Amino acid sequence: MTRGRGYRTGLAALVLFTVAAGDFWRNLLSWYGWAGVTALLLTAVLVELARERPSLRRLPAPLLIFLGLATISVAWSAYPGATLAGLAATWFTAAGGVFLALCLAGDELIGALSTALRWVLGLSLVFEAIVGVFVRRPVLPVFPPFDPDAGDIPDAFAWSRAEMFTGGAIQGIVGNANLLAMVALVALITVGVQTADGTIRRSRGWLWMAIAVLTLALTRSAAVFAAAAVVVGVLGLAVLARRLPPAGRSAVFWSAAGALAVVVTAGFVFAEQLLDFLRRNIDLTHRLDIWATVAALGAERPIAGWGWVSHWAPWVEPFDDLVVISGVTYLQAHNAWVDVAFQLGWIGLLVFGALLATVLVRSWWLATDPPQITATRTGPYSATTLLPLLVITALLVQSLAESRILVEFGWTLLVVLAIRTKREQLPVARPLPGQSAEVGR
């Protein structure tokens, strides 16, 4: 690897670490420190984009339309200042995704993602172990965005609740169990792909997969447990489809799509009964009430929404008191689809759905019918071609319980997947004996 490529890969790993663990910087250095770190990274990313000058002509249309719609929503936004701030965060994060997707080779991108997520997992377990063994009480951010002397502080404000050895859910350096669980799941997918393709030592791969599984278990995140179960099911379908002729692959795809359509339709038809069942039998951590509140407000502006904001801005109406539970002001609807419908209306929801649908379909065909250049020494398929499908599946399931796909790590991954699957620039394994190394370039 040349010095220039090494720098670029290192920068990519730092970008991915920062979007995956934004609260690490905010809790450690304050919001101002985090802003300084992200400004430096953004500058470096823009410099690399200027040097590489990648072609932007074939960026995915749904992605561009979604960004365009969010941008022009400032014209009708009920909170234009907050919309401008949200747009800055969305566009800056998208720029990072464009850099990752277009300026790195496939193996460099996966290597950077693996490195970043392993650092998050490793630091999280060390952090929680130190707090659990030596501190033994909740740890607040170094620079808390609240008055630490105000009296009773909600558990949600703690960086770590010191629960690693008490049976509770660990939060790691990211300060949130659900976020850490998602990092663990994506790390498990990424390292698993690397191990299967032999791009890292098998012993090292199995060790980090075990660490990812342990971290996921310690977070006790029901939403990500569900995502992991769906990922395993999709992996099984993809492996089955790979063993079938083209007609069989299509049959598997359309059968799965039909089953999904039946489930979604049944959900709409029996929505009232389903919600009643959930309220009686499942603790969704106030999500049903949050969804109802946000949906009621969104119904006042159903076509184009209230205006883009990504993360809610608690300093402006209606977010200042929209959802306040146990002294905590919530900054998301805990469902990306509800959030998009609220912020960009039915128009935005259709565009967002088209974006995710195109990424999902392209990921499926790349996983089950990849180009011949992805052949490896062990067969016509590379495990790497499964990665986009498994990651977008995890993001889709998470989007039903969290709005994280719209910000930071989730949004970065979505931008990368949209661009890479559109261009079919997947990582290329070592060439087969007698195959020219130039084939995969």
Side-chain angles (χ1 to χ4, degrees):
M1 180 183 294
T2 66
R3 182 177 179 181
R5 303 305 299 183
Y7 163 75
R8 193 168 287 177
T9 304
L11 174 61
L14 187 54
V15 168
L16 286 163
F17 177 89
T18 299
V19 295
D23 278 324
F24 167 73
W25 296 117
R26 291 187 282 267
N27 290 341
L28 182 66
L29 303 177
S30 80
W31 278 83
Y32 297 106
W34 166 81
V37 170
T38 55
L40 289 174
L41 288 177
L42 177 63
T43 300
V45 162
L46 294 177
V47 168
E48 291 304 307
L49 285 171
R51 286 177 177 172
E52 187 73 13
R53 295 183 180 179
S55 174
L56 305 178
R57 291 179 298 175
R58 295 187 60 195
L59 291 180
L63 175 62
L64 294 177
I65 294 171
F66 185 83
L67 285 168
L69 179 63
T71 301
I72 64 173
S73 73
V74 71
W76 62 80
S77 173
Y79 31 78
T83 293
L84 290 173
L87 285 171
T90 299
W91 275 101
F92 292 164
T93 308
V98 171
F99 159 70
L100 294 168
L102 299 184
C103 294
L104 277 76
D107 56 344
E108 293 171 339
L109 175 57
I110 288 186
L113 178 62
S114 175
T115 298
L117 299 187
R118 284 186 280 120
W119 270 102
V120 175
L121 296 185
L123 289 175
S124 292
L125 292 179
V126 170
F127 172 62
E128 290 286 0
I130 291 174
V131 173
V133 172
F134 298 105
V135 182
R136 299 183 182 181
R137 59 180 175 79
V139 173
L140 298 179
V142 176
F143 295 94
F146 53 84
D147 183 2
D149 299 322
D152 292 336
I153 298 174
D155 288 343
F157 291 159
W159 191 355
S160 168
R161 294 196 291 261
E163 294 184 337
M164 188 171 191
F165 304 111
T166 62
I170 68 169
Q171 302 180 150
I173 63 170
V174 302
N176 183 288
N178 291 325
L179 283 180
L180 182 60
M182 191 62 181
V183 168
L185 178 55
V186 177
L188 178 62
I189 294 169
T190 306
V191 177
V193 161
Q194 289 182 301
T195 304
D197 270 348
T199 56
I200 60 173
R201 292 194 304 271
R202 189 170 295 273
S203 58
R204 186 183 183 192
W206 281 106
L207 172 62
W208 278 105
M209 283 192 285
I211 290 173
V213 171
L214 173 63
T215 306
L216 181 58
L218 290 175
T219 63
R220 292 170 170 78
S221 172
V224 182
F225 287 170
V230 176
V231 166
V232 170
V234 170
L235 174 61
L237 288 175
V239 171
L240 172 63
R242 286 181 171 207
R243 299 176 181 274
L244 299 174
R249 296 174 202 156
S250 297
V252 171
F253 173 80
W254 289 113
S255 296
L260 177 62
V262 169
V263 171
V264 172
T265 301
F268 277 106
V269 172
F270 301 105
E272 184 175 349
Q273 294 89 335
L274 178 62
L275 289 176
D276 287 340
F277 170 80
L278 291 175
R279 285 192 178 94
R280 289 195 307 269
N281 297 280
I282 299 177
D283 178 13
L284 291 178
T285 320
H286 307 292
R287 279 177 171 81
L288 295 175
D289 294 331
I290 296 172
W291 298 343
T293 299
V294 177
L297 196 60
E300 297 179 15
R301 295 188 174 193
I303 305 301
W306 284 69
W308 181 248
V309 72
S310 73
H311 257 322
W312 295 354
W315 61 87
V316 298
E317 293 183 357
F319 305 113
D320 53 351
D321 61 354
L322 181 58
V323 179
V324 180
I325 300 174
S326 300
V328 178
T329 301
Y330 280 61
L331 303 180
Q332 58 160 314
H334 280 282
N335 183 300
W337 303 86
V338 173
D339 241 334
V340 170
F342 165 69
Q343 297 181 37
L344 297 177
W346 286 104
I347 298 175
L349 195 60
L350 289 173
V351 176
F352 182 65
L355 172 59
L356 290 176
T358 53
V359 174
L360 181 62
V361 171
R362 286 177 180 140
S363 297
W364 170 265
W365 291 118
L366 288 170
T368 59
D369 191 20
Q372 185 61 33
I373 60 172
T374 60
T376 68
R377 296 180 185 275
T378 58
Y381 291 104
S382 164
T384 303
T385 58
L386 290 165
L387 189 142
L389 176 63
L390 301 182
V391 172
I392 191 59
T393 297
L395 289 175
L396 275 168
V397 178
Q398 185 197 35
S399 73
L400 301 177
E402 300 279 342
S403 300
R404 300 290 182 174
I405 196 173
L406 304 175
V407 297
E408 295 191 315
F409 187 50
W411 178 241
T412 300
L413 290 180
L414 180 57
V415 171
V416 171
L417 291 175
I419 296 173
R420 298 290 293 199
T421 56
K422 165 78 173 185
R423 297 193 169 208
E424 298 186 5
Q425 293 176 340
L426 292 175
V428 179
R430 295 183 297 272
L432 292 168
Q435 181 184 26
S436 171
E438 295 297 318
V439 172
R441 297 296 180 187

